[in-house]
Amino acid sequence: MDQKLLPGLYIVATPIGNLGDITLRAVDVLRGVSTIACEDTRVTGRLLHHLGISGRMLRYDDHAGEAERERLLGLMAVEPVALVSDAGTPLISDPGYRLVREAKERGIAVTSLPGPSAAIVAITLSGLPSDRFLFAGFLPNKAKAREDTLRELAAVPATLVFYETAPRLEAALEAIAAVLPGRQVAVARELTKKFEECRPGSPAELIDHYRAHPPKGEIVLVIGPPVDAPTGEINADALLRAELQTSKASQAAAAVARATGLDRKVLYARALELK
C-alpha cells in the first residue's frame, strides 16, 4: 500500500471458502489497519496467518454490547479499523450495521470494500431470475414462524434468498412446498469449495435427494418468484390471488401494497372483486 490509511471504519469482505477469493485491496487494508474487529479471533486468525499478516484483533459479534462498540468507535476516530465477519461480506445477516450507523452519526469515515457474498454466488449459480431478488437472512427455526415468514413474502414479485443450516434444510423445504407450491428452488452449498453444489428442483425432489444424501456445510436457499409474475412488471391480480388463498381481502391488499408500493385501497377493491 502506497499511502497510510486514514482513520475510520473499513468494511472488508473475506472469502466464504476459497481463500483465493480475497482481493488485493482487502489484503492491503487488513495489513494497514491498526485493529481488526471480527466475529471469532480464531477464524480470522487463520486467514491472517495464511496472508502473512499479524494484526491486533478485537471480538465483535452478535453478543457485543455497548462497551465493545464504544471501544471500537473510540479507536476508529483516531485510527483505521477493519470490520470482518467469519466469511463473506460483513453486515449481511450480522449485527455490524449498528457500528456503521453510530460511526456515521459521529462523523467517522466509513469505507466498504466489495468482495465475496454467499447470497450473490448462489443467485448467479441457481439459474433462477436474478433481475430482482430479496435477501431475507435466515428462516426462523420454529415451524410456525418459518411458515409465517414465507407467507408474508409469498406475493413479492422477486426471487427469494435465504440462509439455512444443513440440519434444518428438510424442514425448510417442507415449508416451502406447503406455503409456496409450484415454486422452483435451488439449494446452494459448500460455495467456492471443492464440493460446491447448486442443485435446482422442486421442494419434493430436493427433499428426496437430501434424505438420501444428507447435506453438510452452510446452505443458501434460492426460491423462484411467483409463477404468474411477469419479469419486469407487477401483476397485481396474480399477487392478490396468491395472497387470497390464505388471507382475507384486507390482509391480501396490505401484503401486496407492502411488496409493490401500489395503493392499498385500490388493491382492496380489486381483492374483493377477485374473491
Side-chain angles (χ1 to χ4, degrees):
M1 178 173 292
D2 295 333
Q3 295 182 335
K4 185 177 179 180
L5 292 174
L6 297 174
L9 175 61
Y10 294 80
I11 302 166
V12 182
T14 56
I16 59 177
N18 191 320
L19 295 179
D21 290 335
I22 191 79
T23 69
L24 295 175
R25 187 181 176 202
V27 173
D28 281 345
V29 167
L30 291 175
R31 188 172 285 128
V33 296
S34 62
T35 303
I36 300 171
C38 53
E39 289 183 270
D40 189 325
T41 56
R42 295 166 299 179
V43 173
T44 300
R46 286 194 291 270
L47 174 64
L48 296 181
H49 177 75
H50 172 78
L51 298 173
I53 297 172
S54 58
R56 178 174 63 161
M57 292 179 286
L58 293 178
R59 186 157 189 164
Y60 186 79
D61 59 14
D62 288 339
H63 306 293
E66 189 65 27
E68 290 91 344
R69 193 154 51 247
E70 281 296 329
R71 182 181 181 185
L72 286 172
L73 288 164
L75 287 172
M76 67 182 67
V78 295
E79 303 173 352
V81 175
L83 173 68
V84 302
S85 62
D86 284 349
T89 301
L91 279 73
I92 305 302
S93 203
D94 79 27
Y97 77 90
R98 299 185 188 95
L99 189 64
V100 172
R101 181 179 59 198
E102 292 193 31
K104 285 181 169 291
E105 288 175 353
R106 300 185 188 194
I108 297 170
V110 178
T111 302
S112 184
L113 284 64
S117 169
I120 299 301
V121 175
I123 292 167
T124 59
L125 286 175
S126 69
L128 294 170
S130 57
D131 57 324
R132 178 186 290 178
F133 61 87
L134 171 68
F135 173 69
F138 281 90
L139 279 169
N141 188 30
K142 294 186 177 179
K144 184 179 184 305
R146 185 188 299 120
E147 292 186 3
D148 287 346
T149 295
L150 291 171
R151 193 168 288 112
E152 177 187 355
L153 300 175
V156 176
T159 294
L160 304 177
V161 184
F162 295 96
Y163 287 162
E164 192 50 278
T165 64
R168 300 190 332 199
L169 176 60
E170 184 175 336
L173 291 170
E174 289 174 344
I176 294 167
V179 178
L180 305 175
R183 301 284 186 97
Q184 283 293 298
V185 181
V187 174
R189 49 181 293 276
E190 295 290 89
L191 293 175
T192 77
K193 300 177 184 177
K194 182 178 180 180
F195 298 107
E196 175 180 278
E197 174 186 52
C198 188
R199 179 174 292 274
S202 69
E205 292 169 337
L206 293 168
I207 288 171
D208 288 344
H209 173 79
Y210 288 112
R211 279 178 179 167
H213 306 88
K216 296 180 180 179
E218 305 210 346
I219 289 169
V220 184
L221 279 171
V222 186
I223 306 171
V227 177
D228 296 330
T231 302
E233 63 181 69
I234 298 173
N235 188 331
D237 280 4
L239 300 179
L240 286 169
R241 288 192 182 96
E243 282 294 321
L244 287 168
Q245 293 178 13
T246 56
S247 305
K248 297 178 181 179
S250 59
Q251 295 169 327
V256 176
R258 286 195 301 270
T260 64
L262 296 175
D263 186 89
R264 181 174 175 174
K265 292 182 180 178
V266 173
L267 289 169
Y268 177 62
R270 181 58 178 158
L272 292 175
E273 295 174 1
L274 293 173
K275 198 170 180 69

